[in-house]
Amino acid sequence: LKVCLDNKDSLKVFRQKMERSYIVEVLKSSKGNVSSAAKLLGLERTHLHRKISDYSIIKEEFLKKL
């Protein structure tokens, strides 16, 4: 996981950065399959979709080029 540590970040902001980064990595490992990623993360698929939207995660971040 690549997260830039900035001492100016609050704990909340740091957690959000870590969560976003982890979600992107799990989506990459599941080749963009949101249902599989949701299972790995222990989330409902709809909840993961909401997090993807909330964190402005775009498909290009986790889909591997074929």
Side-chain angles (χ1 to χ4, degrees):
L1 296 172
K2 293 181 183 178
V3 176
C4 180
L5 297 177
D6 185 352
N7 291 336
K8 297 176 186 171
D9 288 344
S10 67
L11 181 58
K12 180 180 178 181
V13 170
F14 176 75
R15 284 182 181 158
Q16 289 171 337
K17 286 180 179 181
M18 288 298 295
E19 183 176 44
R20 184 188 191 285
S21 181
Y22 187 61
I23 289 170
V24 169
E25 290 304 313
V26 172
L27 284 164
K28 283 180 182 178
S29 73
S30 67
K31 297 184 174 114
N33 185 312
V34 176
S35 294
S36 294
K39 278 186 182 181
L40 290 169
L41 291 166
L43 299 173
E44 294 290 327
R45 183 184 48 80
T46 54
H47 191 175
L48 180 54
H49 274 294
R50 191 169 336 126
K51 286 186 174 289
I52 290 170
S53 176
D54 290 347
Y55 289 132
S56 302
I57 298 171
I58 55 174
K59 288 182 181 181
E60 289 76 19
E61 288 184 72
F62 59 83
L63 288 180
K64 295 181 179 180
K65 306 280 183 189
L66 300 177

